[in-house]
PDB file of all heavy atoms in Angstrom:
ATOM      1  N   ASP S1078       8.234 -56.071  13.109  1.00  0.00           N
ATOM      2  CA  ASP S1078       9.147 -55.506  12.117  1.00  0.00           C
ATOM      3  C   ASP S1078      10.310 -56.455  11.843  1.00  0.00           C
ATOM      4  O   ASP S1078      10.653 -56.704  10.682  1.00  0.00           O
ATOM      5  CB  ASP S1078       9.659 -54.151  12.606  1.00  0.00           C
ATOM      6  CG  ASP S1078      10.468 -53.427  11.556  1.00  0.00           C
ATOM      7  OD1 ASP S1078      10.011 -53.302  10.411  1.00  0.00           O
ATOM      8  OD2 ASP S1078      11.592 -52.985  11.891  1.00  0.00           O
ATOM      9  N   ASP S1079      10.907 -56.991  12.903  1.00  0.00           N
ATOM     10  CA  ASP S1079      12.022 -57.919  12.730  1.00  0.00           C
ATOM     11  C   ASP S1079      11.598 -59.171  11.971  1.00  0.00           C
ATOM     12  O   ASP S1079      12.333 -59.670  11.108  1.00  0.00           O
ATOM     13  CB  ASP S1079      12.613 -58.317  14.089  1.00  0.00           C
ATOM     14  CG  ASP S1079      13.341 -57.176  14.785  1.00  0.00           C
ATOM     15  OD1 ASP S1079      13.660 -56.161  14.119  1.00  0.00           O
ATOM     16  OD2 ASP S1079      13.583 -57.289  16.003  1.00  0.00           O
ATOM     17  N   THR S1080      10.421 -59.683  12.277  1.00  0.00           N
ATOM     18  CA  THR S1080       9.920 -60.891  11.619  1.00  0.00           C
ATOM     19  C   THR S1080       9.633 -60.628  10.142  1.00  0.00           C
ATOM     20  O   THR S1080       9.981 -61.443   9.281  1.00  0.00           O
ATOM     21  CB  THR S1080       8.657 -61.404  12.336  1.00  0.00           C
ATOM     22  OG1 THR S1080       8.959 -61.618  13.718  1.00  0.00           O
ATOM     23  CG2 THR S1080       8.176 -62.705  11.720  1.00  0.00           C
ATOM     24  N   VAL S1081       9.018 -59.498   9.845  1.00  0.00           N
ATOM     25  CA  VAL S1081       8.713 -59.158   8.447  1.00  0.00           C
ATOM     26  C   VAL S1081      10.005 -59.049   7.639  1.00  0.00           C
ATOM     27  O   VAL S1081      10.061 -59.482   6.482  1.00  0.00           O
ATOM     28  CB  VAL S1081       7.882 -57.857   8.377  1.00  0.00           C
ATOM     29  CG1 VAL S1081       7.841 -57.310   6.967  1.00  0.00           C
ATOM     30  CG2 VAL S1081       6.479 -58.107   8.905  1.00  0.00           C
ATOM     31  N   LYS S1082      11.047 -58.520   8.238  1.00  0.00           N
ATOM     32  CA  LYS S1082      12.325 -58.364   7.529  1.00  0.00           C
ATOM     33  C   LYS S1082      12.952 -59.713   7.160  1.00  0.00           C
ATOM     34  O   LYS S1082      13.741 -59.785   6.223  1.00  0.00           O
ATOM     35  CB  LYS S1082      13.303 -57.545   8.365  1.00  0.00           C
ATOM     36  CG  LYS S1082      12.952 -56.082   8.402  1.00  0.00           C
ATOM     37  CD  LYS S1082      13.889 -55.313   9.308  1.00  0.00           C
ATOM     38  CE  LYS S1082      13.504 -53.843   9.355  1.00  0.00           C
ATOM     39  NZ  LYS S1082      14.254 -53.098  10.368  1.00  0.00           N
ATOM     40  N   THR S1083      12.596 -60.774   7.868  1.00  0.00           N
ATOM     41  CA  THR S1083      13.145 -62.108   7.562  1.00  0.00           C
ATOM     42  C   THR S1083      12.377 -62.819   6.456  1.00  0.00           C
ATOM     43  O   THR S1083      12.855 -63.817   5.920  1.00  0.00           O
ATOM     44  CB  THR S1083      13.145 -63.021   8.808  1.00  0.00           C
ATOM     45  OG1 THR S1083      11.803 -63.370   9.144  1.00  0.00           O
ATOM     46  CG2 THR S1083      13.850 -62.389   9.987  1.00  0.00           C
ATOM     47  N   MET S1084      11.213 -62.326   6.114  1.00  0.00           N
ATOM     48  CA  MET S1084      10.322 -63.048   5.199  1.00  0.00           C
ATOM     49  C   MET S1084      10.911 -63.332   3.816  1.00  0.00           C
ATOM     50  O   MET S1084      10.692 -64.428   3.296  1.00  0.00           O
ATOM     51  CB  MET S1084       8.986 -62.345   5.091  1.00  0.00           C
ATOM     52  CG  MET S1084       8.201 -62.447   6.392  1.00  0.00           C
ATOM     53  SD  MET S1084       6.544 -61.825   6.289  1.00  0.00           S
ATOM     54  CE  MET S1084       5.732 -63.196   5.486  1.00  0.00           C
ATOM     55  N   PRO S1085      11.653 -62.420   3.212  1.00  0.00           N
ATOM     56  CA  PRO S1085      12.157 -62.722   1.869  1.00  0.00           C
ATOM     57  C   PRO S1085      13.036 -63.980   1.804  1.00  0.00           C
ATOM     58  O   PRO S1085      13.062 -64.663   0.790  1.00  0.00           O
ATOM     59  CB  PRO S1085      12.969 -61.482   1.498  1.00  0.00           C
ATOM     60  CG  PRO S1085      12.402 -60.388   2.320  1.00  0.00           C
ATOM     61  CD  PRO S1085      11.975 -61.046   3.611  1.00  0.00           C
ATOM     62  N   ARG S1086      13.718 -64.289   2.880  1.00  0.00           N
ATOM     63  CA  ARG S1086      14.615 -65.442   2.850  1.00  0.00           C
ATOM     64  C   ARG S1086      14.150 -66.612   3.725  1.00  0.00           C
ATOM     65  O   ARG S1086      14.798 -67.649   3.777  1.00  0.00           O
ATOM     66  CB  ARG S1086      16.027 -65.007   3.240  1.00  0.00           C
ATOM     67  CG  ARG S1086      16.160 -64.488   4.646  1.00  0.00           C
ATOM     68  CD  ARG S1086      17.553 -63.916   4.931  1.00  0.00           C
ATOM     69  NE  ARG S1086      17.659 -63.428   6.278  1.00  0.00           N
ATOM     70  CZ  ARG S1086      17.167 -62.286   6.742  1.00  0.00           C
ATOM     71  NH1 ARG S1086      16.493 -61.502   5.941  1.00  0.00           N
ATOM     72  NH2 ARG S1086      17.332 -61.934   7.990  1.00  0.00           N
ATOM     73  N   ALA S1087      13.014 -66.437   4.395  1.00  0.00           N
ATOM     74  CA  ALA S1087      12.516 -67.473   5.303  1.00  0.00           C
ATOM     75  C   ALA S1087      11.789 -68.578   4.542  1.00  0.00           C
ATOM     76  O   ALA S1087      11.039 -68.318   3.618  1.00  0.00           O
ATOM     77  CB  ALA S1087      11.584 -66.863   6.333  1.00  0.00           C
ATOM     78  N   ASP S1088      12.054 -69.803   4.957  1.00  0.00           N
ATOM     79  CA  ASP S1088      11.353 -70.948   4.395  1.00  0.00           C
ATOM     80  C   ASP S1088      11.238 -72.006   5.484  1.00  0.00           C
ATOM     81  O   ASP S1088      12.249 -72.589   5.855  1.00  0.00           O
ATOM     82  CB  ASP S1088      12.090 -71.500   3.183  1.00  0.00           C
ATOM     83  CG  ASP S1088      11.305 -72.601   2.480  1.00  0.00           C
ATOM     84  OD1 ASP S1088      10.068 -72.595   2.586  1.00  0.00           O
ATOM     85  OD2 ASP S1088      11.946 -73.449   1.848  1.00  0.00           O
ATOM     86  N   PRO S1089      10.092 -72.208   6.041  1.00  0.00           N
ATOM     87  CA  PRO S1089       8.795 -71.660   5.676  1.00  0.00           C
ATOM     88  C   PRO S1089       8.648 -70.214   6.170  1.00  0.00           C
ATOM     89  O   PRO S1089       9.388 -69.759   7.029  1.00  0.00           O
ATOM     90  CB  PRO S1089       7.801 -72.576   6.388  1.00  0.00           C
ATOM     91  CG  PRO S1089       8.529 -73.027   7.599  1.00  0.00           C
ATOM     92  CD  PRO S1089       9.981 -73.146   7.162  1.00  0.00           C
ATOM     93  N   LYS S1090       7.676 -69.523   5.606  1.00  0.00           N
ATOM     94  CA  LYS S1090       7.397 -68.145   5.989  1.00  0.00           C
ATOM     95  C   LYS S1090       6.872 -68.115   7.421  1.00  0.00           C
ATOM     96  O   LYS S1090       6.097 -68.985   7.832  1.00  0.00           O
ATOM     97  CB  LYS S1090       6.362 -67.500   5.053  1.00  0.00           C
ATOM     98  CG  LYS S1090       6.791 -67.461   3.597  1.00  0.00           C
ATOM     99  CD  LYS S1090       7.973 -66.548   3.397  1.00  0.00           C
ATOM    100  CE  LYS S1090       8.334 -66.441   1.930  1.00  0.00           C
ATOM    101  NZ  LYS S1090       9.708 -66.103   1.691  1.00  0.00           N
ATOM    102  N   PRO S1091       7.280 -67.111   8.197  1.00  0.00           N
ATOM    103  CA  PRO S1091       6.789 -67.024   9.574  1.00  0.00           C
ATOM    104  C   PRO S1091       5.297 -66.686   9.620  1.00  0.00           C
ATOM    105  O   PRO S1091       4.770 -66.036   8.721  1.00  0.00           O
ATOM    106  CB  PRO S1091       7.626 -65.891  10.174  1.00  0.00           C
ATOM    107  CG  PRO S1091       8.128 -65.103   9.032  1.00  0.00           C
ATOM    108  CD  PRO S1091       8.213 -66.047   7.857  1.00  0.00           C
ATOM    109  N   ASN S1092       4.660 -67.152  10.655  1.00  0.00           N
ATOM    110  CA  ASN S1092       3.242 -66.886  10.870  1.00  0.00           C
ATOM    111  C   ASN S1092       3.121 -65.582  11.664  1.00  0.00           C
ATOM    112  O   ASN S1092       3.504 -65.524  12.834  1.00  0.00           O
ATOM    113  CB  ASN S1092       2.601 -68.047  11.629  1.00  0.00           C
ATOM    114  CG  ASN S1092       1.127 -67.854  11.854  1.00  0.00           C
ATOM    115  OD1 ASN S1092       0.535 -66.876  11.403  1.00  0.00           O
ATOM    116  ND2 ASN S1092       0.519 -68.782  12.564  1.00  0.00           N
ATOM    117  N   LEU S1093       2.596 -64.558  11.044  1.00  0.00           N
ATOM    118  CA  LEU S1093       2.462 -63.254  11.696  1.00  0.00           C
ATOM    119  C   LEU S1093       1.192 -63.139  12.532  1.00  0.00           C
ATOM    120  O   LEU S1093       1.053 -62.210  13.336  1.00  0.00           O
ATOM    121  CB  LEU S1093       2.479 -62.139  10.646  1.00  0.00           C
ATOM    122  CG  LEU S1093       3.733 -62.051   9.778  1.00  0.00           C
ATOM    123  CD1 LEU S1093       3.569 -60.951   8.737  1.00  0.00           C
ATOM    124  CD2 LEU S1093       4.969 -61.807  10.616  1.00  0.00           C
ATOM    125  N   MET S1094       0.267 -64.061  12.360  1.00  0.00           N
ATOM    126  CA  MET S1094      -1.031 -63.970  13.039  1.00  0.00           C
ATOM    127  C   MET S1094      -0.908 -63.895  14.563  1.00  0.00           C
ATOM    128  O   MET S1094      -1.632 -63.105  15.183  1.00  0.00           O
ATOM    129  CB  MET S1094      -1.944 -65.112  12.618  1.00  0.00           C
ATOM    130  CG  MET S1094      -2.355 -65.045  11.140  1.00  0.00           C
ATOM    131  SD  MET S1094      -2.962 -63.423  10.587  1.00  0.00           S
ATOM    132  CE  MET S1094      -4.473 -63.331  11.519  1.00  0.00           C
ATOM    133  N   PRO S1095      -0.027 -64.649  15.209  1.00  0.00           N
ATOM    134  CA  PRO S1095       0.082 -64.511  16.667  1.00  0.00           C
ATOM    135  C   PRO S1095       0.537 -63.119  17.105  1.00  0.00           C
ATOM    136  O   PRO S1095       0.078 -62.616  18.128  1.00  0.00           O
ATOM    137  CB  PRO S1095       1.113 -65.576  17.053  1.00  0.00           C
ATOM    138  CG  PRO S1095       1.070 -66.574  15.952  1.00  0.00           C
ATOM    139  CD  PRO S1095       0.762 -65.778  14.714  1.00  0.00           C
ATOM    140  N   ILE S1096       1.388 -62.489  16.320  1.00  0.00           N
ATOM    141  CA  ILE S1096       1.839 -61.141  16.665  1.00  0.00           C
ATOM    142  C   ILE S1096       0.682 -60.164  16.497  1.00  0.00           C
ATOM    143  O   ILE S1096       0.446 -59.310  17.364  1.00  0.00           O
ATOM    144  CB  ILE S1096       3.050 -60.719  15.807  1.00  0.00           C
ATOM    145  CG1 ILE S1096       4.213 -61.698  15.996  1.00  0.00           C
ATOM    146  CG2 ILE S1096       3.488 -59.298  16.164  1.00  0.00           C
ATOM    147  CD1 ILE S1096       5.387 -61.473  15.054  1.00  0.00           C
ATOM    148  N   PHE S1097      -0.068 -60.289  15.396  1.00  0.00           N
ATOM    149  CA  PHE S1097      -1.228 -59.419  15.194  1.00  0.00           C
ATOM    150  C   PHE S1097      -2.259 -59.622  16.302  1.00  0.00           C
ATOM    151  O   PHE S1097      -2.845 -58.650  16.807  1.00  0.00           O
ATOM    152  CB  PHE S1097      -1.874 -59.666  13.835  1.00  0.00           C
ATOM    153  CG  PHE S1097      -1.038 -59.225  12.668  1.00  0.00           C
ATOM    154  CD1 PHE S1097      -0.881 -60.043  11.567  1.00  0.00           C
ATOM    155  CD2 PHE S1097      -0.410 -57.986  12.657  1.00  0.00           C
ATOM    156  CE1 PHE S1097      -0.123 -59.641  10.475  1.00  0.00           C
ATOM    157  CE2 PHE S1097       0.355 -57.575  11.569  1.00  0.00           C
ATOM    158  CZ  PHE S1097       0.498 -58.405  10.479  1.00  0.00           C
ATOM    159  N   ALA S1098      -2.482 -60.856  16.709  1.00  0.00           N
ATOM    160  CA  ALA S1098      -3.447 -61.150  17.779  1.00  0.00           C
ATOM    161  C   ALA S1098      -2.985 -60.526  19.097  1.00  0.00           C
ATOM    162  O   ALA S1098      -3.802 -59.960  19.844  1.00  0.00           O
ATOM    163  CB  ALA S1098      -3.636 -62.656  17.927  1.00  0.00           C
ATOM    164  N   ARG S1099      -1.689 -60.625  19.385  1.00  0.00           N
ATOM    165  CA  ARG S1099      -1.150 -60.032  20.610  1.00  0.00           C
ATOM    166  C   ARG S1099      -1.313 -58.511  20.576  1.00  0.00           C
ATOM    167  O   ARG S1099      -1.702 -57.892  21.574  1.00  0.00           O
ATOM    168  CB  ARG S1099       0.320 -60.405  20.792  1.00  0.00           C
ATOM    169  CG  ARG S1099       0.896 -59.919  22.101  1.00  0.00           C
ATOM    170  CD  ARG S1099       2.338 -60.360  22.377  1.00  0.00           C
ATOM    171  NE  ARG S1099       2.775 -61.507  21.635  1.00  0.00           N
ATOM    172  CZ  ARG S1099       3.756 -61.491  20.718  1.00  0.00           C
ATOM    173  NH1 ARG S1099       4.413 -60.393  20.446  1.00  0.00           N
ATOM    174  NH2 ARG S1099       4.107 -62.590  20.092  1.00  0.00           N
ATOM    175  N   LEU S1100      -1.029 -57.893  19.425  1.00  0.00           N
ATOM    176  CA  LEU S1100      -1.183 -56.444  19.309  1.00  0.00           C
ATOM    177  C   LEU S1100      -2.643 -56.036  19.516  1.00  0.00           C
ATOM    178  O   LEU S1100      -2.920 -55.045  20.202  1.00  0.00           O
ATOM    179  CB  LEU S1100      -0.674 -55.961  17.952  1.00  0.00           C
ATOM    180  CG  LEU S1100       0.838 -55.873  17.831  1.00  0.00           C
ATOM    181  CD1 LEU S1100       1.261 -55.744  16.365  1.00  0.00           C
ATOM    182  CD2 LEU S1100       1.373 -54.709  18.651  1.00  0.00           C
ATOM    183  N   ASP S1101      -3.565 -56.792  18.954  1.00  0.00           N
ATOM    184  CA  ASP S1101      -4.992 -56.500  19.146  1.00  0.00           C
ATOM    185  C   ASP S1101      -5.369 -56.598  20.623  1.00  0.00           C
ATOM    186  O   ASP S1101      -6.071 -55.738  21.164  1.00  0.00           O
ATOM    187  CB  ASP S1101      -5.863 -57.449  18.324  1.00  0.00           C
ATOM    188  CG  ASP S1101      -5.829 -57.155  16.836  1.00  0.00           C
ATOM    189  OD1 ASP S1101      -5.408 -56.043  16.448  1.00  0.00           O
ATOM    190  OD2 ASP S1101      -6.220 -58.046  16.058  1.00  0.00           O
ATOM    191  N   GLU S1102      -4.892 -57.650  21.284  1.00  0.00           N
ATOM    192  CA  GLU S1102      -5.201 -57.847  22.707  1.00  0.00           C
ATOM    193  C   GLU S1102      -4.606 -56.726  23.557  1.00  0.00           C
ATOM    194  O   GLU S1102      -5.274 -56.171  24.434  1.00  0.00           O
ATOM    195  CB  GLU S1102      -4.666 -59.204  23.168  1.00  0.00           C
ATOM    196  CG  GLU S1102      -4.947 -59.488  24.624  1.00  0.00           C
ATOM    197  CD  GLU S1102      -4.396 -60.840  25.069  1.00  0.00           C
ATOM    198  OE1 GLU S1102      -4.168 -61.713  24.219  1.00  0.00           O
ATOM    199  OE2 GLU S1102      -4.193 -60.982  26.283  1.00  0.00           O
ATOM    200  N   LEU S1103      -3.349 -56.381  23.289  1.00  0.00           N
ATOM    201  CA  LEU S1103      -2.708 -55.308  24.050  1.00  0.00           C
ATOM    202  C   LEU S1103      -3.403 -53.969  23.806  1.00  0.00           C
ATOM    203  O   LEU S1103      -3.572 -53.170  24.735  1.00  0.00           O
ATOM    204  CB  LEU S1103      -1.222 -55.214  23.685  1.00  0.00           C
ATOM    205  CG  LEU S1103      -0.335 -56.355  24.172  1.00  0.00           C
ATOM    206  CD1 LEU S1103       1.029 -56.309  23.484  1.00  0.00           C
ATOM    207  CD2 LEU S1103      -0.179 -56.298  25.689  1.00  0.00           C
ATOM    208  N   THR S1104      -3.823 -53.735  22.581  1.00  0.00           N
ATOM    209  CA  THR S1104      -4.523 -52.491  22.255  1.00  0.00           C
ATOM    210  C   THR S1104      -5.850 -52.407  23.011  1.00  0.00           C
ATOM    211  O   THR S1104      -6.187 -51.355  23.559  1.00  0.00           O
ATOM    212  CB  THR S1104      -4.751 -52.385  20.734  1.00  0.00           C
ATOM    213  OG1 THR S1104      -3.479 -52.355  20.077  1.00  0.00           O
ATOM    214  CG2 THR S1104      -5.530 -51.136  20.373  1.00  0.00           C
ATOM    215  N   ARG S1105      -6.571 -53.517  23.063  1.00  0.00           N
ATOM    216  CA  ARG S1105      -7.848 -53.536  23.801  1.00  0.00           C
ATOM    217  C   ARG S1105      -7.638 -53.256  25.285  1.00  0.00           C
ATOM    218  O   ARG S1105      -8.525 -52.733  25.950  1.00  0.00           O
ATOM    219  CB  ARG S1105      -8.565 -54.874  23.628  1.00  0.00           C
ATOM    220  CG  ARG S1105      -9.252 -55.041  22.301  1.00  0.00           C
ATOM    221  CD  ARG S1105     -10.164 -56.260  22.276  1.00  0.00           C
ATOM    222  NE  ARG S1105      -9.463 -57.505  22.487  1.00  0.00           N
ATOM    223  CZ  ARG S1105      -8.853 -58.223  21.531  1.00  0.00           C
ATOM    224  NH1 ARG S1105      -8.882 -57.790  20.287  1.00  0.00           N
ATOM    225  NH2 ARG S1105      -8.241 -59.344  21.815  1.00  0.00           N
ATOM    226  N   GLY S1106      -6.453 -53.580  25.800  1.00  0.00           N
ATOM    227  CA  GLY S1106      -6.172 -53.400  27.220  1.00  0.00           C
ATOM    228  C   GLY S1106      -5.668 -52.013  27.602  1.00  0.00           C
ATOM    229  O   GLY S1106      -5.436 -51.742  28.774  1.00  0.00           O
ATOM    230  N   LEU S1107      -5.529 -51.133  26.620  1.00  0.00           N
ATOM    231  CA  LEU S1107      -5.063 -49.779  26.935  1.00  0.00           C
ATOM    232  C   LEU S1107      -6.144 -49.017  27.696  1.00  0.00           C
ATOM    233  O   LEU S1107      -7.338 -49.159  27.404  1.00  0.00           O
ATOM    234  CB  LEU S1107      -4.707 -49.026  25.652  1.00  0.00           C
ATOM    235  CG  LEU S1107      -3.400 -49.444  24.983  1.00  0.00           C
ATOM    236  CD1 LEU S1107      -3.297 -48.825  23.588  1.00  0.00           C
ATOM    237  CD2 LEU S1107      -2.197 -49.046  25.832  1.00  0.00           C
ATOM    238  N   PRO S1108      -5.744 -48.174  28.635  1.00  0.00           N
ATOM    239  CA  PRO S1108      -6.744 -47.397  29.373  1.00  0.00           C
ATOM    240  C   PRO S1108      -7.424 -46.350  28.487  1.00  0.00           C
ATOM    241  O   PRO S1108      -6.885 -45.963  27.449  1.00  0.00           O
ATOM    242  CB  PRO S1108      -5.926 -46.723  30.484  1.00  0.00           C
ATOM    243  CG  PRO S1108      -4.510 -46.791  30.052  1.00  0.00           C
ATOM    244  CD  PRO S1108      -4.385 -47.947  29.103  1.00  0.00           C
ATOM    245  N   LYS S1109      -8.577 -45.899  28.914  1.00  0.00           N
ATOM    246  CA  LYS S1109      -9.367 -44.935  28.141  1.00  0.00           C
ATOM    247  C   LYS S1109      -8.638 -43.607  27.957  1.00  0.00           C
ATOM    248  O   LYS S1109      -8.899 -42.892  26.995  1.00  0.00           O
ATOM    249  CB  LYS S1109     -10.706 -44.695  28.824  1.00  0.00           C
ATOM    250  CG  LYS S1109     -11.549 -45.941  28.962  1.00  0.00           C
ATOM    251  CD  LYS S1109     -12.762 -45.851  28.094  1.00  0.00           C
ATOM    252  CE  LYS S1109     -13.676 -47.028  28.339  1.00  0.00           C
ATOM    253  NZ  LYS S1109     -13.581 -48.020  27.328  1.00  0.00           N
TER     254      LYS S1109
END
């Protein structure tokens, strides 16, 4: 959320892919 909020004024634009990858990995690690 914090990173997305910086995007309108960021140059270069931040790479969100590492955050999405981390979220996917953490989600896979949640217990049943």
Side-chain angles (χ1 to χ4, degrees):
D1078 187 50
D1079 291 344
T1080 304
V1081 166
K1082 287 176 181 172
T1083 70
M1084 291 187 79
R1086 64 187 180 283
D1088 186 26
K1090 300 294 184 205
N1092 181 3
L1093 300 177
M1094 294 311 293
I1096 301 172
F1097 291 134
R1099 185 176 339 115
L1100 283 165
D1101 287 343
E1102 180 180 339
L1103 290 167
T1104 298
R1105 283 191 298 275
L1107 285 169
K1109 300 248 186 258

